[in-house]
Amino acid sequence: MSRHRNVRSMNYEDEYYGYDDSYGHSVEDDYCVSPATAAQFMYNRDQTHSLFSYMDTGEDIPEEESDSDHEPLTDSRNYKRPQLNDVDEARLNSCLEEIRNIIGDSTPEHVLIDVIMQHNFSYERALNAILSQQEKPKPQREPRAKRRTRQEEPKVNTDLKLGPPPATNNAGARPKVKDSDLDLNHVSEGLARKTFSSSKPTTKRFDSPVEELKTHTVEKDAIRRIKTDTDLLRLERNSVGSSGSTESLPQKVEEAMNGISATPIPKGTSRSKQDRVDLEKEYEKRKAGKELLNLVVIGHVDAGKSTLMGHLLYQLGHVNKRTMHKYEQESKKLGKASFAYAWVLDETEEERSRGVTMDVAQTRFETAHRVVTLLDAPGHKDFIPNMITGAAQADVAILVVNATRGEFETGFEAGGQTREHALLVRSLGVFQLAVAVNKMDTVDWSPDRFNDITKKLGQFLKQAGFKENDVAYVPCSGLSGENLTVMKEAALSAWYNGTTLLERIDLFKAPERATDKPFRMCVTDVFKGMGSGFSIAGSVEAGNVQSGDRVLVMPVGHSATVKGVLIEEGPVPCAFAGDHVALIVTGIDMATVHIGSILCDPSQPIKAVSRIKARVVIFNIDVPVTKGFPVVFHYKSLNEPAHIKRLISQLHKSTGEVIKKKPRCLMKNSNAVIELEINRSVCIELYKDYKDLGRFMLRYGGSTIAAGLVTELVEGKSARGD
């Protein structure tokens, strides 16, 4: 701030040197002012002024007490910190400092110390306990029954004054009706007395919304008939010579009032039965067409997965020439001309600039007998959690390997992702695999190189659990497009007479879907659309869903209403198990739905637990797994920190018999039954009930160490005695 002068260090003698006027007066103050005016309005520095002359000395001003005199709170003042050793005291102070940095000074220190001691100096668990106590909802007051009763019960006159009918003088003459004999204003009030006769509000139960609507319609018709009869009576009272009898009015009123309950209500067909018939017809119609298949593409980084599938989509006509030409020009500007076909699936700017797939790309195409949902999974080891999310939604898989000399060995040996990806998809329930030997043009379509790769992979895939009949090998080139849909290369057709990649995809068998089980859907994305409500994207694991259904969001336990079902951004009447859908929901806050949540049937909800028993298979690990071993729990699109609570037993690899109970540690390539405790409650099912919802993976230190099947859900604190 160089344009501001430092007033404190200013030398006023130099500043005003040469001025004839005294300090405090302007140089140009040469206008005429009378001495009286100057004495009244101008401040004179020569006079000595006392501050007491400006103050009223009539009352004494009490001094304010300083804030430092406040006494501490009673509970904090009387609290005595526990006597700890130096190590525990340091741990306690460290936890206090970390928690204070997050929640501030709103919570007393003795409360924090008690919570930290209860959780054995665990900073994360103590913080979760404190935040959970603060987030507890305040108790709501009960609604006042009297006020609700006053709002629901109208004040009506319960007297229906209908005088006795007067005697007729002549057979044809009608006597004049007097106002005292009939009070017309109370006719409608009599109906109110008939309808709201009880002093307490009664709750009517209806079997369906249709019956409730029909009941209200009947009541409105009865009220309308009574009002019409009342108006007619007024007209007849004014015309004395008209024919008729007043005896009909009380009868009409009574018949109309009795008609509210006496009118028969036609019974409609149950809505659920109608929907069930529609769902069955829709499912039969879908089964008569092409079968649905969820395909995931996996492999080591730079194996050419996105380029391979992007070129396949281009040959199938899903990408026009104009768009492809645009991708070619833009990729050349970035110096990545060979990544043009990969841009078909890599749509984000970061993926295109880095040349690496980071998230699971999803698209849809058709073969001769299949409707395929393509999931392009990332191959880099930093994005393995995203790869697990895509593999957990797949039925079959394509393993892409690089045939270039040295590249295949890099991905297949220790540290590469080829082995880990194959183990992951097999552990997540994928039994059918196609191996695409990519970039065969770099080795001049050598059959020796192809046979060498298939031999090494065949032995490993057999050990991983794949059957030989369920594995197929296809040589191809993603950049040139050879053997994707047609085979044109003469050097390849000279020794290979198998199928193309598209034909191999068409030969995959679609698995059986759990359409007869309660609805389950795993949330993979939550976003706001253009219309009302918001959209929840995910895969339907079991059951079916359609517009108008009520669903339960777990583990928060909030219900929502489905307003629309979208598949590939197009509205459909319903969705079944195996579909990747986007549901438009209302009646729930968007902030309560997260990635990893489960939408389920409200009548049969999924359970949320934080401790499970599972049968696991330990992979090739460097450190033995012991009690308390920290892991990352990967389940569908969810990943949560967890630890091994107990090692229950070690099993035989082939027979599954118990070899040893309560082992001290688990070595590599061993089977065991363990108890796993997760930091937060997750929604999970038993493997015997829902196979797709009963599998999970365990990772540690950036590598996958185990795969498991859920055998038991441990609820509450009853199973905490170890």
PDB file of all heavy atoms in Angstrom, residues 580-592:
ATOM      1  N   HIS A 580     -29.643 -52.179 -16.834  1.00  0.00           N
ATOM      2  CA  HIS A 580     -28.998 -50.974 -16.333  1.00  0.00           C
ATOM      3  C   HIS A 580     -29.957 -49.816 -16.589  1.00  0.00           C
ATOM      4  O   HIS A 580     -30.206 -49.455 -17.747  1.00  0.00           O
ATOM      5  CB  HIS A 580     -27.656 -50.738 -17.027  1.00  0.00           C
ATOM      6  CG  HIS A 580     -26.629 -51.762 -16.707  1.00  0.00           C
ATOM      7  ND1 HIS A 580     -25.654 -51.572 -15.742  1.00  0.00           N
ATOM      8  CD2 HIS A 580     -26.427 -53.009 -17.197  1.00  0.00           C
ATOM      9  CE1 HIS A 580     -24.893 -52.648 -15.670  1.00  0.00           C
ATOM     10  NE2 HIS A 580     -25.333 -53.531 -16.544  1.00  0.00           N
ATOM     11  N   VAL A 581     -30.505 -49.267 -15.531  1.00  0.00           N
ATOM     12  CA  VAL A 581     -31.610 -48.323 -15.657  1.00  0.00           C
ATOM     13  C   VAL A 581     -31.273 -47.036 -14.919  1.00  0.00           C
ATOM     14  O   VAL A 581     -30.317 -46.953 -14.140  1.00  0.00           O
ATOM     15  CB  VAL A 581     -32.916 -48.920 -15.086  1.00  0.00           C
ATOM     16  CG1 VAL A 581     -33.279 -50.192 -15.804  1.00  0.00           C
ATOM     17  CG2 VAL A 581     -32.786 -49.159 -13.584  1.00  0.00           C
ATOM     18  N   ALA A 582     -32.102 -46.033 -15.189  1.00  0.00           N
ATOM     19  CA  ALA A 582     -32.089 -44.779 -14.443  1.00  0.00           C
ATOM     20  C   ALA A 582     -33.520 -44.526 -13.990  1.00  0.00           C
ATOM     21  O   ALA A 582     -34.424 -44.407 -14.824  1.00  0.00           O
ATOM     22  CB  ALA A 582     -31.581 -43.624 -15.300  1.00  0.00           C
ATOM     23  N   LEU A 583     -33.742 -44.484 -12.683  1.00  0.00           N
ATOM     24  CA  LEU A 583     -35.069 -44.289 -12.113  1.00  0.00           C
ATOM     25  C   LEU A 583     -35.243 -42.828 -11.724  1.00  0.00           C
ATOM     26  O   LEU A 583     -34.378 -42.253 -11.046  1.00  0.00           O
ATOM     27  CB  LEU A 583     -35.273 -45.183 -10.882  1.00  0.00           C
ATOM     28  CG  LEU A 583     -35.098 -46.685 -11.074  1.00  0.00           C
ATOM     29  CD1 LEU A 583     -35.372 -47.413  -9.769  1.00  0.00           C
ATOM     30  CD2 LEU A 583     -36.014 -47.205 -12.171  1.00  0.00           C
ATOM     31  N   ILE A 584     -36.349 -42.224 -12.143  1.00  0.00           N
ATOM     32  CA  ILE A 584     -36.711 -40.876 -11.722  1.00  0.00           C
ATOM     33  C   ILE A 584     -37.591 -41.018 -10.483  1.00  0.00           C
ATOM     34  O   ILE A 584     -38.686 -41.589 -10.551  1.00  0.00           O
ATOM     35  CB  ILE A 584     -37.454 -40.126 -12.836  1.00  0.00           C
ATOM     36  CG1 ILE A 584     -36.587 -40.065 -14.106  1.00  0.00           C
ATOM     37  CG2 ILE A 584     -37.819 -38.718 -12.384  1.00  0.00           C
ATOM     38  CD1 ILE A 584     -37.296 -39.455 -15.297  1.00  0.00           C
ATOM     39  N   VAL A 585     -37.127 -40.515  -9.346  1.00  0.00           N
ATOM     40  CA  VAL A 585     -37.814 -40.715  -8.072  1.00  0.00           C
ATOM     41  C   VAL A 585     -38.161 -39.365  -7.467  1.00  0.00           C
ATOM     42  O   VAL A 585     -37.518 -38.343  -7.729  1.00  0.00           O
ATOM     43  CB  VAL A 585     -36.947 -41.531  -7.083  1.00  0.00           C
ATOM     44  CG1 VAL A 585     -36.651 -42.904  -7.640  1.00  0.00           C
ATOM     45  CG2 VAL A 585     -35.651 -40.808  -6.778  1.00  0.00           C
ATOM     46  N   THR A 586     -39.200 -39.368  -6.645  1.00  0.00           N
ATOM     47  CA  THR A 586     -39.630 -38.200  -5.886  1.00  0.00           C
ATOM     48  C   THR A 586     -39.960 -38.643  -4.466  1.00  0.00           C
ATOM     49  O   THR A 586     -40.032 -39.834  -4.168  1.00  0.00           O
ATOM     50  CB  THR A 586     -40.872 -37.544  -6.521  1.00  0.00           C
ATOM     51  OG1 THR A 586     -41.925 -38.533  -6.601  1.00  0.00           O
ATOM     52  CG2 THR A 586     -40.575 -37.005  -7.903  1.00  0.00           C
ATOM     53  N   GLY A 587     -40.168 -37.655  -3.596  1.00  0.00           N
ATOM     54  CA  GLY A 587     -40.536 -37.957  -2.216  1.00  0.00           C
ATOM     55  C   GLY A 587     -39.368 -38.234  -1.310  1.00  0.00           C
ATOM     56  O   GLY A 587     -39.562 -38.740  -0.198  1.00  0.00           O
ATOM     57  N   ILE A 588     -38.153 -37.919  -1.729  1.00  0.00           N
ATOM     58  CA  ILE A 588     -36.965 -38.165  -0.909  1.00  0.00           C
ATOM     59  C   ILE A 588     -35.926 -37.108  -1.249  1.00  0.00           C
ATOM     60  O   ILE A 588     -35.886 -36.590  -2.378  1.00  0.00           O
ATOM     61  CB  ILE A 588     -36.401 -39.588  -1.159  1.00  0.00           C
ATOM     62  CG1 ILE A 588     -35.303 -39.924  -0.156  1.00  0.00           C
ATOM     63  CG2 ILE A 588     -35.921 -39.743  -2.580  1.00  0.00           C
ATOM     64  CD1 ILE A 588     -34.814 -41.349  -0.246  1.00  0.00           C
ATOM     65  N   ASP A 589     -35.118 -36.772  -0.275  1.00  0.00           N
ATOM     66  CA  ASP A 589     -34.072 -35.788  -0.474  1.00  0.00           C
ATOM     67  C   ASP A 589     -32.911 -36.426  -1.236  1.00  0.00           C
ATOM     68  O   ASP A 589     -32.498 -37.553  -0.957  1.00  0.00           O
ATOM     69  CB  ASP A 589     -33.585 -35.246   0.871  1.00  0.00           C
ATOM     70  CG  ASP A 589     -32.637 -34.075   0.716  1.00  0.00           C
ATOM     71  OD1 ASP A 589     -32.465 -33.610  -0.430  1.00  0.00           O
ATOM     72  OD2 ASP A 589     -32.087 -33.611   1.733  1.00  0.00           O
ATOM     73  N   MET A 590     -32.391 -35.681  -2.205  1.00  0.00           N
ATOM     74  CA  MET A 590     -31.301 -36.196  -3.033  1.00  0.00           C
ATOM     75  C   MET A 590     -30.042 -36.442  -2.215  1.00  0.00           C
ATOM     76  O   MET A 590     -29.242 -37.320  -2.541  1.00  0.00           O
ATOM     77  CB  MET A 590     -31.026 -35.204  -4.169  1.00  0.00           C
ATOM     78  CG  MET A 590     -29.981 -35.644  -5.164  1.00  0.00           C
ATOM     79  SD  MET A 590     -29.814 -34.463  -6.514  1.00  0.00           S
ATOM     80  CE  MET A 590     -28.457 -35.198  -7.432  1.00  0.00           C
ATOM     81  N   ALA A 591     -29.862 -35.672  -1.133  1.00  0.00           N
ATOM     82  CA  ALA A 591     -28.649 -35.802  -0.323  1.00  0.00           C
ATOM     83  C   ALA A 591     -28.612 -37.107   0.472  1.00  0.00           C
ATOM     84  O   ALA A 591     -27.550 -37.497   0.964  1.00  0.00           O
ATOM     85  CB  ALA A 591     -28.525 -34.622   0.637  1.00  0.00           C
ATOM     86  N   THR A 592     -29.743 -37.798   0.622  1.00  0.00           N
ATOM     87  CA  THR A 592     -29.780 -39.042   1.390  1.00  0.00           C
ATOM     88  C   THR A 592     -29.450 -40.278   0.557  1.00  0.00           C
ATOM     89  O   THR A 592     -29.313 -41.364   1.111  1.00  0.00           O
ATOM     90  CB  THR A 592     -31.158 -39.224   2.035  1.00  0.00           C
ATOM     91  OG1 THR A 592     -32.154 -39.275   1.003  1.00  0.00           O
ATOM     92  CG2 THR A 592     -31.471 -38.060   2.970  1.00  0.00           C
TER      93      THR A 592
END
